[in-house]
Amino acid sequence: MAWVCYYRCMNGEKLVITGGNPLRGEVRVGGAKNSALKLMAAGLLTPEECVIHNVPQITDVEIMAEVLRHLGVEVAWEEGTMRVRAGDFKGREAPYHLVRRMRASIVVLGPLVARFGEAKVAIPGGCNIGSRKIDMHLRGLAEMGAEISTEHGYVYARASRLRGRHIVLDFPSVGATENLMMAALGAEGTTVIENAAREPEIQDLAAFLVSMGAEIRGAGTPILEVEGGAELHGVEHTVIGDRIEAGTFAVAAAVTGGDVAITGFRPEHLALPLEKMRAVGVEVEEDEEGEAVRVRGGRKYRGVDVATLPFPGFPTDMQPQIMVLLSLAEGTSVVTENVFESRFMFVDELNRMGCDITIEGHHAIVRGGRRLSGTEVCATDLRAGAALVLAGLAAEGETQVLDIHHIDRGYQKLEEKLSKLGAEIRRVGDD
Ligand code: EPZ
């Protein structure tokens, strides 16, 4: 089914960028959004306090905090430290008005079923990158013995007892792996999740759960083994650096011909995008400690093909950003999106800036050697918004990126970090 999205640009704050400045200096990325959200949900598994450091101050985290508070969980957040204490809270429902704002709220399902044997979570809608189904989450829970029903837009899960099972995922779904790994902690016996997702954020969640007292083997491999029944206690943990934020800054350095050191993350978590950027002609060198990279723009770039895949493949969350770099490179590149069924909506906006990208099914044909020019564009989702900012940094003249609430979901103070690197960018209120 062709997933057709219609997007209407709304009013609100915008980012105004004047392109052409090479970015120079050092930037430290924040904690990984796609780990922090799950660690907060994992706090539901114990009545003791969990202290989570390096939590990014972004909208998605605010919404997850609202979901937990709606359940009756104590959540305190000062600066980058989040304290979650899921004592004897009564809530079992994640309501639609919150879930529709942040689909990852579905990840409270597994912990609630593990701890209390029941949960009611609104079915997350589709979004501007695809249908975002949860059938693998639900099938896995049912295999473990949960009674699953869906009515009036909600998932109801009930389980008097969960039993460890050998579950095989059709696709290495990040969310399904996380929900089932946490549900398995409440099951009797061992659960094996085959074809599990291997992302660094999955490994960070597994490390968090092991620190809580869980027994988990194989995190980061396609075969995850989880022992159920352990008594889980409070934990103190620091979120890994955000590899996608790091990749976004790496492309910013490349498209502006700059020289930027990016710290606060592990380059091994971004290996393939960094390798692809080297193949394009960008100078990328990692430091010996494996905690930073230095990215220098080259004189001439050449196109390369990119296909998104689950980790360790090229991350889909870097697809819009790399598309901007490939538009500046000589030659034609083919970008294939294998993870989401509709993650090209932003291409029309890039083409309005002078890109020449044609969509054929799940391939984008990127004709390079383009000179971009600034104009008004509309962010359609988080990473698309980031890509439009990158295009604005490289474009001649002024670019206005609208609907930047999408960007604020996953990037903390993006314009401040870019300004410190020499970009001419400012946030303008809702006119
Ligand atoms: C996580 O989404 C990330 N979000 C996404 O990042 C990321 O793009 C994605 O993983 C892939 O890496 C968070 O972690 C909060 P999936 P998730 O389950 O868990 C289909 C960003 O920009 N699928 O791996 O929802 C699904 O429709 C965001 O930070 C089913 O069909 O991703 C999609 O096509 C965007 N049935 C594909 O699998 C299911 O039961 C991958 O989804 C589950 C998923």
PDB file of all heavy atoms in Angstrom, residues 33-34 37-38 104 129 131-137 171-176 178 199 243 316-317 339-341 343 381-383, ligand 1:
ATOM      1  N   LYS A  33      18.320  10.274  22.340  1.00  0.00           N
ATOM      2  CA  LYS A  33      16.855  10.326  22.515  1.00  0.00           C
ATOM      3  C   LYS A  33      16.272   8.921  22.522  1.00  0.00           C
ATOM      4  O   LYS A  33      15.456   8.575  23.388  1.00  0.00           O
ATOM      5  CB  LYS A  33      16.243  11.108  21.351  1.00  0.00           C
ATOM      6  CG  LYS A  33      14.741  10.949  21.204  1.00  0.00           C
ATOM      7  CD  LYS A  33      14.154  11.756  20.076  1.00  0.00           C
ATOM      8  CE  LYS A  33      14.186  11.039  18.770  1.00  0.00           C
ATOM      9  NZ  LYS A  33      13.108  10.080  18.535  1.00  0.00           N
ATOM     10  N   ASN A  34      16.731   8.085  21.556  1.00  0.00           N
ATOM     11  CA  ASN A  34      16.102   6.776  21.371  1.00  0.00           C
ATOM     12  C   ASN A  34      16.557   5.731  22.368  1.00  0.00           C
ATOM     13  O   ASN A  34      16.133   4.580  22.302  1.00  0.00           O
ATOM     14  CB  ASN A  34      16.299   6.298  19.927  1.00  0.00           C
ATOM     15  CG  ASN A  34      15.525   7.181  18.961  1.00  0.00           C
ATOM     16  OD1 ASN A  34      14.660   7.956  19.381  1.00  0.00           O
ATOM     17  ND2 ASN A  34      15.832   7.098  17.694  1.00  0.00           N
ATOM     18  N   LEU A  37      14.352   7.606  26.249  1.00  0.00           N
ATOM     19  CA  LEU A  37      12.908   7.372  26.346  1.00  0.00           C
ATOM     20  C   LEU A  37      12.604   5.974  26.892  1.00  0.00           C
ATOM     21  O   LEU A  37      11.692   5.768  27.684  1.00  0.00           O
ATOM     22  CB  LEU A  37      12.247   7.535  24.976  1.00  0.00           C
ATOM     23  CG  LEU A  37      12.315   8.931  24.359  1.00  0.00           C
ATOM     24  CD1 LEU A  37      11.806   8.888  22.919  1.00  0.00           C
ATOM     25  CD2 LEU A  37      11.520   9.921  25.193  1.00  0.00           C
ATOM     26  N   LYS A  38      13.419   5.012  26.491  1.00  0.00           N
ATOM     27  CA  LYS A  38      13.150   3.618  26.895  1.00  0.00           C
ATOM     28  C   LYS A  38      13.620   3.355  28.315  1.00  0.00           C
ATOM     29  O   LYS A  38      13.047   2.569  29.043  1.00  0.00           O
ATOM     30  CB  LYS A  38      13.799   2.634  25.937  1.00  0.00           C
ATOM     31  CG  LYS A  38      13.722   2.867  24.430  1.00  0.00           C
ATOM     32  CD  LYS A  38      12.604   3.610  23.901  1.00  0.00           C
ATOM     33  CE  LYS A  38      12.705   3.987  22.423  1.00  0.00           C
ATOM     34  NZ  LYS A  38      13.353   3.160  21.501  1.00  0.00           N
ATOM     35  N   ALA A 104       6.570   6.534  20.689  1.00  0.00           N
ATOM     36  CA  ALA A 104       7.423   5.654  21.516  1.00  0.00           C
ATOM     37  C   ALA A 104       6.804   5.399  22.881  1.00  0.00           C
ATOM     38  O   ALA A 104       7.283   4.545  23.631  1.00  0.00           O
ATOM     39  CB  ALA A 104       8.793   6.288  21.689  1.00  0.00           C
ATOM     40  N   ILE A 129       6.312   9.319   8.314  1.00  0.00           N
ATOM     41  CA  ILE A 129       7.340   8.493   7.665  1.00  0.00           C
ATOM     42  C   ILE A 129       6.836   7.072   7.443  1.00  0.00           C
ATOM     43  O   ILE A 129       7.511   6.259   6.838  1.00  0.00           O
ATOM     44  CB  ILE A 129       8.662   8.466   8.483  1.00  0.00           C
ATOM     45  CG1 ILE A 129       8.442   7.888   9.878  1.00  0.00           C
ATOM     46  CG2 ILE A 129       9.281   9.841   8.557  1.00  0.00           C
ATOM     47  CD1 ILE A 129       9.746   7.750  10.670  1.00  0.00           C
ATOM     48  N   SER A 131       3.590   3.787   8.528  1.00  0.00           N
ATOM     49  CA  SER A 131       2.389   3.359   9.266  1.00  0.00           C
ATOM     50  C   SER A 131       2.708   3.062  10.725  1.00  0.00           C
ATOM     51  O   SER A 131       1.848   3.118  11.567  1.00  0.00           O
ATOM     52  CB  SER A 131       1.814   2.100   8.617  1.00  0.00           C
ATOM     53  OG  SER A 131       2.814   1.099   8.659  1.00  0.00           O
ATOM     54  N   ARG A 132       3.940   2.754  11.050  1.00  0.00           N
ATOM     55  CA  ARG A 132       4.381   2.530  12.439  1.00  0.00           C
ATOM     56  C   ARG A 132       3.526   1.465  13.145  1.00  0.00           C
ATOM     57  O   ARG A 132       2.905   1.706  14.184  1.00  0.00           O
ATOM     58  CB  ARG A 132       4.352   3.835  13.233  1.00  0.00           C
ATOM     59  CG  ARG A 132       5.030   5.002  12.567  1.00  0.00           C
ATOM     60  CD  ARG A 132       6.473   4.792  12.193  1.00  0.00           C
ATOM     61  NE  ARG A 132       7.387   4.645  13.300  1.00  0.00           N
ATOM     62  CZ  ARG A 132       8.004   5.665  13.902  1.00  0.00           C
ATOM     63  NH1 ARG A 132       7.767   6.880  13.501  1.00  0.00           N
ATOM     64  NH2 ARG A 132       8.830   5.459  14.912  1.00  0.00           N
ATOM     65  N   LYS A 133       3.419   0.303  12.545  1.00  0.00           N
ATOM     66  CA  LYS A 133       2.581  -0.762  13.115  1.00  0.00           C
ATOM     67  C   LYS A 133       3.197  -1.313  14.404  1.00  0.00           C
ATOM     68  O   LYS A 133       4.369  -1.066  14.694  1.00  0.00           O
ATOM     69  CB  LYS A 133       2.402  -1.883  12.088  1.00  0.00           C
ATOM     70  CG  LYS A 133       1.611  -1.424  10.853  1.00  0.00           C
ATOM     71  CD  LYS A 133       1.229  -2.569   9.951  1.00  0.00           C
ATOM     72  CE  LYS A 133       2.433  -3.325   9.511  1.00  0.00           C
ATOM     73  NZ  LYS A 133       2.171  -4.387   8.533  1.00  0.00           N
ATOM     74  N   ILE A 134       2.394  -2.017  15.184  1.00  0.00           N
ATOM     75  CA  ILE A 134       2.892  -2.641  16.429  1.00  0.00           C
ATOM     76  C   ILE A 134       2.506  -4.121  16.489  1.00  0.00           C
ATOM     77  O   ILE A 134       2.476  -4.722  17.571  1.00  0.00           O
ATOM     78  CB  ILE A 134       2.355  -1.903  17.675  1.00  0.00           C
ATOM     79  CG1 ILE A 134       0.826  -1.880  17.696  1.00  0.00           C
ATOM     80  CG2 ILE A 134       2.930  -0.496  17.790  1.00  0.00           C
ATOM     81  CD1 ILE A 134       0.241  -1.411  19.013  1.00  0.00           C
ATOM     82  N   ASP A 135       2.247  -4.721  15.343  1.00  0.00           N
ATOM     83  CA  ASP A 135       1.819  -6.132  15.340  1.00  0.00           C
ATOM     84  C   ASP A 135       2.862  -7.063  15.954  1.00  0.00           C
ATOM     85  O   ASP A 135       2.532  -8.026  16.660  1.00  0.00           O
ATOM     86  CB  ASP A 135       1.478  -6.571  13.923  1.00  0.00           C
ATOM     87  CG  ASP A 135       2.633  -6.310  12.957  1.00  0.00           C
ATOM     88  OD1 ASP A 135       3.121  -5.166  12.920  1.00  0.00           O
ATOM     89  OD2 ASP A 135       3.072  -7.253  12.274  1.00  0.00           O
ATOM     90  N   MET A 136       4.154  -6.782  15.756  1.00  0.00           N
ATOM     91  CA  MET A 136       5.200  -7.655  16.328  1.00  0.00           C
ATOM     92  C   MET A 136       5.232  -7.525  17.851  1.00  0.00           C
ATOM     93  O   MET A 136       5.432  -8.510  18.560  1.00  0.00           O
ATOM     94  CB  MET A 136       6.562  -7.313  15.731  1.00  0.00           C
ATOM     95  CG  MET A 136       6.723  -7.801  14.301  1.00  0.00           C
ATOM     96  SD  MET A 136       8.412  -7.538  13.700  1.00  0.00           S
ATOM     97  CE  MET A 136       8.243  -5.944  12.933  1.00  0.00           C
ATOM     98  N   HIS A 137       4.995  -6.307  18.359  1.00  0.00           N
ATOM     99  CA  HIS A 137       4.928  -6.128  19.816  1.00  0.00           C
ATOM    100  C   HIS A 137       3.828  -7.042  20.369  1.00  0.00           C
ATOM    101  O   HIS A 137       4.029  -7.761  21.343  1.00  0.00           O
ATOM    102  CB  HIS A 137       4.546  -4.692  20.171  1.00  0.00           C
ATOM    103  CG  HIS A 137       5.465  -3.621  19.672  1.00  0.00           C
ATOM    104  ND1 HIS A 137       6.029  -2.678  20.487  1.00  0.00           N
ATOM    105  CD2 HIS A 137       5.875  -3.298  18.423  1.00  0.00           C
ATOM    106  CE1 HIS A 137       6.772  -1.842  19.771  1.00  0.00           C
ATOM    107  NE2 HIS A 137       6.698  -2.193  18.516  1.00  0.00           N
ATOM    108  N   PHE A 171      10.965  -8.925  11.606  1.00  0.00           N
ATOM    109  CA  PHE A 171      11.879  -7.842  11.215  1.00  0.00           C
ATOM    110  C   PHE A 171      12.548  -7.375  12.502  1.00  0.00           C
ATOM    111  O   PHE A 171      11.896  -7.374  13.559  1.00  0.00           O
ATOM    112  CB  PHE A 171      11.062  -6.694  10.583  1.00  0.00           C
ATOM    113  CG  PHE A 171      11.880  -5.495  10.184  1.00  0.00           C
ATOM    114  CD1 PHE A 171      12.459  -5.402   8.915  1.00  0.00           C
ATOM    115  CD2 PHE A 171      12.087  -4.449  11.089  1.00  0.00           C
ATOM    116  CE1 PHE A 171      13.224  -4.304   8.552  1.00  0.00           C
ATOM    117  CE2 PHE A 171      12.835  -3.340  10.732  1.00  0.00           C
ATOM    118  CZ  PHE A 171      13.409  -3.267   9.466  1.00  0.00           C
ATOM    119  N   PRO A 172      13.827  -7.009  12.516  1.00  0.00           N
ATOM    120  CA  PRO A 172      14.472  -6.578  13.766  1.00  0.00           C
ATOM    121  C   PRO A 172      13.947  -5.211  14.215  1.00  0.00           C
ATOM    122  O   PRO A 172      14.643  -4.202  14.152  1.00  0.00           O
ATOM    123  CB  PRO A 172      15.953  -6.540  13.405  1.00  0.00           C
ATOM    124  CG  PRO A 172      16.010  -6.421  11.933  1.00  0.00           C
ATOM    125  CD  PRO A 172      14.761  -7.030  11.380  1.00  0.00           C
ATOM    126  N   SER A 173      12.714  -5.207  14.676  1.00  0.00           N
ATOM    127  CA  SER A 173      12.068  -3.966  15.118  1.00  0.00           C
ATOM    128  C   SER A 173      12.672  -3.490  16.441  1.00  0.00           C
ATOM    129  O   SER A 173      12.732  -4.250  17.418  1.00  0.00           O
ATOM    130  CB  SER A 173      10.565  -4.220  15.314  1.00  0.00           C
ATOM    131  OG  SER A 173      10.020  -3.351  16.278  1.00  0.00           O
ATOM    132  N   VAL A 174      13.083  -2.212  16.471  1.00  0.00           N
ATOM    133  CA  VAL A 174      13.660  -1.645  17.687  1.00  0.00           C
ATOM    134  C   VAL A 174      12.622  -1.665  18.807  1.00  0.00           C
ATOM    135  O   VAL A 174      12.860  -2.209  19.891  1.00  0.00           O
ATOM    136  CB  VAL A 174      14.149  -0.207  17.420  1.00  0.00           C
ATOM    137  CG1 VAL A 174      14.516   0.518  18.704  1.00  0.00           C
ATOM    138  CG2 VAL A 174      15.341  -0.227  16.460  1.00  0.00           C
ATOM    139  N   GLY A 175      11.453  -1.114  18.555  1.00  0.00           N
ATOM    140  CA  GLY A 175      10.428  -1.022  19.595  1.00  0.00           C
ATOM    141  C   GLY A 175       9.931  -2.369  20.062  1.00  0.00           C
ATOM    142  O   GLY A 175       9.764  -2.595  21.271  1.00  0.00           O
ATOM    143  N   ALA A 176       9.742  -3.292  19.135  1.00  0.00           N
ATOM    144  CA  ALA A 176       9.260  -4.627  19.528  1.00  0.00           C
ATOM    145  C   ALA A 176      10.316  -5.330  20.378  1.00  0.00           C
ATOM    146  O   ALA A 176       9.995  -5.938  21.409  1.00  0.00           O
ATOM    147  CB  ALA A 176       8.930  -5.454  18.287  1.00  0.00           C
ATOM    148  N   GLU A 178      12.496  -3.961  22.320  1.00  0.00           N
ATOM    149  CA  GLU A 178      12.530  -3.311  23.649  1.00  0.00           C
ATOM    150  C   GLU A 178      11.334  -3.714  24.489  1.00  0.00           C
ATOM    151  O   GLU A 178      11.475  -4.112  25.651  1.00  0.00           O
ATOM    152  CB  GLU A 178      12.573  -1.790  23.469  1.00  0.00           C
ATOM    153  CG  GLU A 178      13.881  -1.311  22.873  1.00  0.00           C
ATOM    154  CD  GLU A 178      13.805   0.061  22.245  1.00  0.00           C
ATOM    155  OE1 GLU A 178      12.691   0.535  21.893  1.00  0.00           O
ATOM    156  OE2 GLU A 178      14.876   0.676  22.090  1.00  0.00           O
ATOM    157  N   GLU A 199      20.590  -2.278  17.676  1.00  0.00           N
ATOM    158  CA  GLU A 199      21.016  -0.872  17.780  1.00  0.00           C
ATOM    159  C   GLU A 199      21.750  -0.596  19.100  1.00  0.00           C
ATOM    160  O   GLU A 199      21.448  -1.230  20.122  1.00  0.00           O
ATOM    161  CB  GLU A 199      19.793   0.039  17.672  1.00  0.00           C
ATOM    162  CG  GLU A 199      19.366   0.409  16.257  1.00  0.00           C
ATOM    163  CD  GLU A 199      18.779  -0.751  15.464  1.00  0.00           C
ATOM    164  OE1 GLU A 199      18.600  -1.831  16.028  1.00  0.00           O
ATOM    165  OE2 GLU A 199      18.527  -0.571  14.263  1.00  0.00           O
ATOM    166  N   ARG A 243      24.048   9.190  18.582  1.00  0.00           N
ATOM    167  CA  ARG A 243      24.814   8.975  17.342  1.00  0.00           C
ATOM    168  C   ARG A 243      24.181   9.697  16.151  1.00  0.00           C
ATOM    169  O   ARG A 243      24.872  10.108  15.219  1.00  0.00           O
ATOM    170  CB  ARG A 243      24.930   7.481  17.038  1.00  0.00           C
ATOM    171  CG  ARG A 243      23.584   6.782  16.839  1.00  0.00           C
ATOM    172  CD  ARG A 243      23.719   5.269  16.878  1.00  0.00           C
ATOM    173  NE  ARG A 243      22.402   4.661  16.922  1.00  0.00           N
ATOM    174  CZ  ARG A 243      21.840   4.018  15.890  1.00  0.00           C
ATOM    175  NH1 ARG A 243      22.515   3.878  14.759  1.00  0.00           N
ATOM    176  NH2 ARG A 243      20.635   3.482  15.986  1.00  0.00           N
ATOM    177  N   THR A 316      18.311   4.555   9.124  1.00  0.00           N
ATOM    178  CA  THR A 316      17.279   5.324   8.428  1.00  0.00           C
ATOM    179  C   THR A 316      17.205   6.746   8.969  1.00  0.00           C
ATOM    180  O   THR A 316      16.857   7.682   8.243  1.00  0.00           O
ATOM    181  CB  THR A 316      15.908   4.632   8.547  1.00  0.00           C
ATOM    182  OG1 THR A 316      14.902   5.449   7.971  1.00  0.00           O
ATOM    183  CG2 THR A 316      15.543   4.324   9.993  1.00  0.00           C
ATOM    184  N   ASP A 317      17.584   6.931  10.243  1.00  0.00           N
ATOM    185  CA  ASP A 317      17.499   8.277  10.845  1.00  0.00           C
ATOM    186  C   ASP A 317      18.578   9.215  10.329  1.00  0.00           C
ATOM    187  O   ASP A 317      18.586  10.392  10.691  1.00  0.00           O
ATOM    188  CB  ASP A 317      17.582   8.186  12.376  1.00  0.00           C
ATOM    189  CG  ASP A 317      16.379   7.486  12.946  1.00  0.00           C
ATOM    190  OD1 ASP A 317      15.390   7.302  12.214  1.00  0.00           O
ATOM    191  OD2 ASP A 317      16.428   7.096  14.121  1.00  0.00           O
ATOM    192  N   VAL A 339      13.599   0.701   5.606  1.00  0.00           N
ATOM    193  CA  VAL A 339      13.041   0.523   6.953  1.00  0.00           C
ATOM    194  C   VAL A 339      11.625   1.070   7.064  1.00  0.00           C
ATOM    195  O   VAL A 339      10.732   0.428   7.590  1.00  0.00           O
ATOM    196  CB  VAL A 339      13.965   1.182   8.009  1.00  0.00           C
ATOM    197  CG1 VAL A 339      13.355   1.079   9.402  1.00  0.00           C
ATOM    198  CG2 VAL A 339      15.343   0.519   7.970  1.00  0.00           C
ATOM    199  N   PHE A 340      11.399   2.282   6.526  1.00  0.00           N
ATOM    200  CA  PHE A 340      10.052   2.880   6.568  1.00  0.00           C
ATOM    201  C   PHE A 340       9.485   2.981   5.159  1.00  0.00           C
ATOM    202  O   PHE A 340      10.231   3.124   4.191  1.00  0.00           O
ATOM    203  CB  PHE A 340      10.109   4.272   7.218  1.00  0.00           C
ATOM    204  CG  PHE A 340      10.323   4.227   8.701  1.00  0.00           C
ATOM    205  CD1 PHE A 340      11.571   4.515   9.247  1.00  0.00           C
ATOM    206  CD2 PHE A 340       9.300   3.836   9.555  1.00  0.00           C
ATOM    207  CE1 PHE A 340      11.787   4.436  10.604  1.00  0.00           C
ATOM    208  CE2 PHE A 340       9.507   3.761  10.928  1.00  0.00           C
ATOM    209  CZ  PHE A 340      10.754   4.058  11.448  1.00  0.00           C
ATOM    210  N   GLU A 341       8.164   2.928   5.093  1.00  0.00           N
ATOM    211  CA  GLU A 341       7.564   2.885   3.757  1.00  0.00           C
ATOM    212  C   GLU A 341       7.365   4.261   3.147  1.00  0.00           C
ATOM    213  O   GLU A 341       7.029   4.389   1.997  1.00  0.00           O
ATOM    214  CB  GLU A 341       6.236   2.116   3.751  1.00  0.00           C
ATOM    215  CG  GLU A 341       5.098   2.647   4.597  1.00  0.00           C
ATOM    216  CD  GLU A 341       5.107   2.053   5.996  1.00  0.00           C
ATOM    217  OE1 GLU A 341       6.175   2.117   6.637  1.00  0.00           O
ATOM    218  OE2 GLU A 341       4.075   1.539   6.442  1.00  0.00           O
ATOM    219  N   ARG A 343       9.520   7.547   3.780  1.00  0.00           N
ATOM    220  CA  ARG A 343      10.391   8.503   4.447  1.00  0.00           C
ATOM    221  C   ARG A 343      11.033   9.452   3.434  1.00  0.00           C
ATOM    222  O   ARG A 343      12.171   9.879   3.579  1.00  0.00           O
ATOM    223  CB  ARG A 343      11.464   7.749   5.259  1.00  0.00           C
ATOM    224  CG  ARG A 343      12.118   8.703   6.255  1.00  0.00           C
ATOM    225  CD  ARG A 343      12.929   8.021   7.309  1.00  0.00           C
ATOM    226  NE  ARG A 343      13.126   8.959   8.410  1.00  0.00           N
ATOM    227  CZ  ARG A 343      13.584   8.622   9.608  1.00  0.00           C
ATOM    228  NH1 ARG A 343      13.920   7.367   9.853  1.00  0.00           N
ATOM    229  NH2 ARG A 343      13.718   9.523  10.560  1.00  0.00           N
ATOM    230  N   ASP A 381       9.002  16.059   9.449  1.00  0.00           N
ATOM    231  CA  ASP A 381       9.238  15.184  10.607  1.00  0.00           C
ATOM    232  C   ASP A 381      10.602  15.563  11.174  1.00  0.00           C
ATOM    233  O   ASP A 381      11.288  16.434  10.649  1.00  0.00           O
ATOM    234  CB  ASP A 381       9.156  13.689  10.237  1.00  0.00           C
ATOM    235  CG  ASP A 381      10.350  13.220   9.415  1.00  0.00           C
ATOM    236  OD1 ASP A 381      11.422  12.945  10.016  1.00  0.00           O
ATOM    237  OD2 ASP A 381      10.229  13.162   8.184  1.00  0.00           O
ATOM    238  N   LEU A 382      10.987  14.884  12.208  1.00  0.00           N
ATOM    239  CA  LEU A 382      12.195  15.262  12.957  1.00  0.00           C
ATOM    240  C   LEU A 382      13.443  15.307  12.095  1.00  0.00           C
ATOM    241  O   LEU A 382      14.138  16.328  11.993  1.00  0.00           O
ATOM    242  CB  LEU A 382      12.360  14.254  14.107  1.00  0.00           C
ATOM    243  CG  LEU A 382      13.689  14.155  14.825  1.00  0.00           C
ATOM    244  CD1 LEU A 382      14.095  15.490  15.394  1.00  0.00           C
ATOM    245  CD2 LEU A 382      13.609  13.094  15.916  1.00  0.00           C
ATOM    246  N   ARG A 383      13.763  14.215  11.430  1.00  0.00           N
ATOM    247  CA  ARG A 383      15.027  14.154  10.678  1.00  0.00           C
ATOM    248  C   ARG A 383      14.925  14.935   9.378  1.00  0.00           C
ATOM    249  O   ARG A 383      15.915  15.493   8.895  1.00  0.00           O
ATOM    250  CB  ARG A 383      15.441  12.702  10.423  1.00  0.00           C
ATOM    251  CG  ARG A 383      15.487  11.862  11.662  1.00  0.00           C
ATOM    252  CD  ARG A 383      16.458  12.376  12.723  1.00  0.00           C
ATOM    253  NE  ARG A 383      16.316  11.577  13.943  1.00  0.00           N
ATOM    254  CZ  ARG A 383      16.921  11.837  15.090  1.00  0.00           C
ATOM    255  NH1 ARG A 383      17.692  12.891  15.180  1.00  0.00           N
ATOM    256  NH2 ARG A 383      16.741  11.075  16.142  1.00  0.00           N
TER     257      ARG A 383
HETATM  258  C1  EPZ B   1      12.765   3.427  16.440  1.00  0.00           C
HETATM  259  O1  EPZ B   1      11.425   3.481  15.990  1.00  0.00           O
HETATM  260  C2  EPZ B   1      13.238   4.870  16.508  1.00  0.00           C
HETATM  261  N1  EPZ B   1      12.411   5.623  17.458  1.00  0.00           N
HETATM  262  C3  EPZ B   1      13.163   5.522  15.137  1.00  0.00           C
HETATM  263  O2  EPZ B   1      13.716   6.829  15.256  1.00  0.00           O
HETATM  264  C4  EPZ B   1      14.028   4.714  14.168  1.00  0.00           C
HETATM  265  O3  EPZ B   1      13.917   5.266  12.877  1.00  0.00           O
HETATM  266  C5  EPZ B   1      13.554   3.263  14.164  1.00  0.00           C
HETATM  267  O4  EPZ B   1      13.598   2.723  15.506  1.00  0.00           O
HETATM  268  C6  EPZ B   1      14.426   2.379  13.275  1.00  0.00           C
HETATM  269  O5  EPZ B   1      15.744   2.445  13.719  1.00  0.00           O
HETATM  270  C7  EPZ B   1      12.625   5.482  18.775  1.00  0.00           C
HETATM  271  O6  EPZ B   1      13.451   4.694  19.208  1.00  0.00           O
HETATM  272  C8  EPZ B   1      11.787   6.335  19.681  1.00  0.00           C
HETATM  273  P1  EPZ B   1      10.932  -0.144  14.353  1.00  0.00           P
HETATM  274  P2  EPZ B   1      10.520   2.130  16.028  1.00  0.00           P
HETATM  275  O7  EPZ B   1       9.975  -0.825  15.264  1.00  0.00           O
HETATM  276  O8  EPZ B   1      10.855   1.350  17.236  1.00  0.00           O
HETATM  277  C9  EPZ B   1       7.780  -1.738  11.129  1.00  0.00           C
HETATM  278  C10 EPZ B   1      13.805   9.155  15.044  1.00  0.00           C
HETATM  279  O9  EPZ B   1      13.858   9.932  14.065  1.00  0.00           O
HETATM  280  N2  EPZ B   1       7.141  -2.428  12.256  1.00  0.00           N
HETATM  281  O10 EPZ B   1      12.323  -0.658  14.237  1.00  0.00           O
HETATM  282  O11 EPZ B   1       9.099   2.536  15.831  1.00  0.00           O
HETATM  283  C11 EPZ B   1       7.630  -0.222  11.222  1.00  0.00           C
HETATM  284  O12 EPZ B   1       6.399   0.180  10.655  1.00  0.00           O
HETATM  285  C12 EPZ B   1      12.876   7.973  15.003  1.00  0.00           C
HETATM  286  O13 EPZ B   1      14.490   9.275  16.064  1.00  0.00           O
HETATM  287  C13 EPZ B   1       6.084  -3.304  11.990  1.00  0.00           C
HETATM  288  O14 EPZ B   1       5.675  -3.483  10.853  1.00  0.00           O
HETATM  289  O15 EPZ B   1      11.055   1.404  14.727  1.00  0.00           O
HETATM  290  C14 EPZ B   1       8.809   0.282  10.433  1.00  0.00           C
HETATM  291  O16 EPZ B   1       8.488   0.280   9.057  1.00  0.00           O
HETATM  292  C15 EPZ B   1      12.119   7.888  13.695  1.00  0.00           C
HETATM  293  N3  EPZ B   1       5.489  -3.937  13.036  1.00  0.00           N
HETATM  294  C16 EPZ B   1       9.890  -0.772  10.711  1.00  0.00           C
HETATM  295  O17 EPZ B   1       9.204  -1.934  11.206  1.00  0.00           O
HETATM  296  C17 EPZ B   1       5.900  -3.754  14.336  1.00  0.00           C
HETATM  297  O18 EPZ B   1       5.322  -4.369  15.256  1.00  0.00           O
HETATM  298  C18 EPZ B   1      10.922  -0.345  11.750  1.00  0.00           C
HETATM  299  O19 EPZ B   1      10.229  -0.041  12.917  1.00  0.00           O
HETATM  300  C19 EPZ B   1       6.972  -2.856  14.587  1.00  0.00           C
HETATM  301  C20 EPZ B   1       7.588  -2.212  13.535  1.00  0.00           C
END
